[in-house]
Amino acid sequence: MSRYKTINNFESNHYHFIYENRMEELLPLLKLLEKVNPCNQEYEFTDSCLLISYSHKLNLFNFSNLFPLKANVQIIGLPVSVCMKGYLGNHVEIESLIKKKKGLKIILNGDNIFSSGGKTLSSFVFDNKFSTFDDYLNSLRSPYRRRINKALVFRNKLNIRKIDNDEFNEDHYKLYLSIMKRTENPLETLPSDFFREYDAEIYEFSDVYTNDIIGFIQLKSINDTLYFLFGGFNKEDIKLYDIYYNMLLKIIEVGIEKQVRTIEFGQTAEESKLKIGCREQYKYLYVHHSNFLLNSIIQKLLPLFSYKPYSIKHHVFKDNLCTKG
């Protein structure tokens, strides 16, 4: 296996192999993260597999109510809190490669079940079948449409506009930090430069009367998918503006306007995302330690690491499609 510490060295040598199209999507993001969020990134590959990893101190009981147990871990994933996986290639071969690496390693956000793995936070995906936002609203069963119309009433108090990235300022960043402070065991907190420099769209929510900035969302279109990357708002503004629901609905509105096939809403906030019509997509983790004894203990404790998927089924659309599964 070949190993590189910078994406520029990897790019100049081998990124064009079997996964060229996928790497073209990731290269700008990985280059920027090396600059603004250095965390000992590594890029390793064989003729048919690629591993992207970084170092982090992680709470191993992140998805349970047990006491926190933090350890230095090599995470196979992107060094940014998004639901994309950090490997390319057959997952059986990937698992075999990871077993050969020293220390404690964790795959996050895998798309496949590993031989001795568990679940990490599910992602929530919206399948866009609509030509207009009104088509979407009319497709909803009445209880869900009522809840969404209730949120849309608050748009009279909101000014929503797309801003240039260089308009992202400390007021926006403080809203992002307020989210991170409320997040249990966040993986990493990005600097404000990430939002100003990454080629993504930012939509600002402000009070129509005072012009105070009360929220923002960051979106990225890749091929036929729109990704919700990050956002920010203060907890006290949820009741004043129904801000979180309005942020989610704006994402749907943008996705419909762009006519993407899917909108990737990311992880967390299961109930709200399912009630607007998303479906739950399971994500998998794999944990391995090169020490045989420690690895045996880890495998026995793995169920404690695992995320428990959302248990309630919501029938959001009139066609009775279920948003769970």
Side-chain angles (χ1 to χ4, degrees):
M1 177 180 284
S2 300
R3 178 180 301 167
Y4 294 90
K5 285 287 188 179
T6 70
I7 196 64
N8 284 332
N9 289 340
F10 176 74
E11 178 186 8
S12 63
N13 286 278
H14 296 286
Y15 93 90
H16 58 274
F17 68 136
I18 191 171
Y19 299 111
E20 178 175 1
N21 292 337
R22 187 75 175 91
M23 284 305 298
E24 288 289 356
E25 299 166 6
L26 290 176
L27 278 172
L29 176 60
L30 294 173
K31 288 180 180 179
L32 178 59
L33 290 171
E34 283 184 9
K35 175 183 174 182
V36 302
N37 187 36
C39 45
N40 199 27
Q41 287 98 324
E42 284 191 351
Y43 312 93
E44 301 167 272
F45 74 96
T46 66
D47 289 338
S48 57
C49 293
L50 168 69
L51 297 179
I52 300 168
S53 64
Y54 66 101
S55 300
H56 188 71
K57 180 169 277 191
L58 180 70
N59 175 18
L60 299 182
F61 294 150
N62 194 40
F63 311 125
S64 72
N65 294 320
L66 299 177
F67 60 90
L69 177 59
K70 292 191 174 183
N72 291 317
V73 181
Q74 187 174 27
I75 296 176
I76 312 301
L78 304 187
V80 61
S81 295
V82 296
C83 59
M84 299 178 187
K85 63 186 180 183
Y87 64 88
L88 298 172
N90 180 275
H91 70 282
V92 176
E93 194 172 347
I94 292 292
E95 184 176 332
S96 176
L97 291 173
I98 289 172
K99 288 178 179 178
K100 298 175 183 177
K101 294 169 65 67
K102 296 293 185 182
L104 178 60
K105 299 86 58 177
I106 296 180
I107 290 180
L108 291 180
N109 300 325
D111 291 333
N112 310 96
I113 301 174
F114 295 90
S115 62
S116 56
K119 286 189 175 75
T120 187
L121 292 170
S122 296
S123 67
F124 296 89
V125 180
F126 184 89
D127 297 310
N128 181 29
K129 304 171 290 185
F130 310 102
S131 57
T132 67
F133 190 68
D134 283 341
D135 287 342
Y136 160 69
L137 293 177
N138 292 331
S139 74
L140 299 168
R141 294 177 63 233
S142 56
Y144 299 95
R145 187 169 61 253
R146 279 197 300 271
R147 176 63 185 92
I148 287 173
N149 283 331
K150 179 181 176 182
L152 291 173
V153 169
F154 285 86
R155 283 205 176 182
N156 294 326
K157 300 172 66 174
L158 294 170
N159 179 36
I160 306 172
R161 70 182 185 102
K162 181 181 175 182
I163 65 172
D164 293 333
N165 287 25
D166 58 9
E167 293 181 72
F168 188 90
N169 58 38
E170 285 305 306
D171 291 331
H172 299 103
Y173 190 60
K174 287 176 183 176
L175 295 173
Y176 163 71
L177 293 179
S178 74
I179 292 284
M180 300 309 292
K181 289 176 183 176
R182 302 196 300 270
T183 300
E184 294 184 9
N185 304 307
L187 284 179
E188 62 277 315
T189 300
L190 294 166
S192 57
D193 285 345
F194 174 81
F195 299 94
R196 286 191 284 266
E197 296 186 33
Y198 188 45
D199 182 22
E201 296 180 345
I202 299 175
Y203 292 83
E204 174 192 272
F205 296 70
S206 60
D207 186 292
V208 72
Y209 302 108
T210 66
N211 292 323
D212 291 338
I213 300 169
I214 60 171
F216 79 91
I217 50 176
Q218 184 192 42
L219 309 177
K220 175 68 174 177
S221 296
I222 299 178
N223 296 329
D224 57 0
T225 299
L226 179 68
Y227 291 89
F228 172 32
L229 299 179
F230 298 100
F233 63 92
N234 289 320
K235 187 176 181 179
E236 57 266 28
D237 286 331
I238 295 176
K239 289 185 177 180
L240 287 175
Y241 303 94
D242 211 348
I243 183 64
Y244 188 63
Y245 249 84
N246 272 295
M247 289 165 65
L248 296 179
L249 294 172
K250 182 60 180 179
I251 296 167
I252 290 178
E253 193 172 30
V254 172
I256 292 173
E257 289 173 357
K258 292 179 177 294
Q259 286 296 290
V260 296
R261 289 182 59 188
T262 57
I263 303 173
E264 176 57 75
F265 274 89
Q267 297 155 302
T268 72
E270 303 98 324
E271 182 176 357
S272 297
K273 292 172 181 177
L274 289 170
K275 285 184 175 180
I276 62 170
C278 292
R279 57 181 170 83
E280 184 173 4
Q281 182 169 295
Y282 297 146
K283 292 288 184 177
Y284 300 94
L285 64 82
Y286 175 70
V287 186
H288 183 269
H289 200 292
S290 55
N291 180 285
F292 176 80
L293 179 58
L294 290 176
N295 188 61
S296 298
I297 296 171
I298 286 171
Q299 300 311 318
K300 290 179 180 179
L301 293 176
L302 191 58
L304 299 176
F305 296 12
S306 292
Y307 167 75
K308 303 300 187 292
Y310 189 80
S311 60
I312 301 173
K313 296 183 179 181
H314 295 286
H315 298 277
V316 174
F317 297 107
K318 292 176 182 176
D319 60 9
N320 288 323
L321 286 179
C322 178
T323 58
K324 165 81 173 155

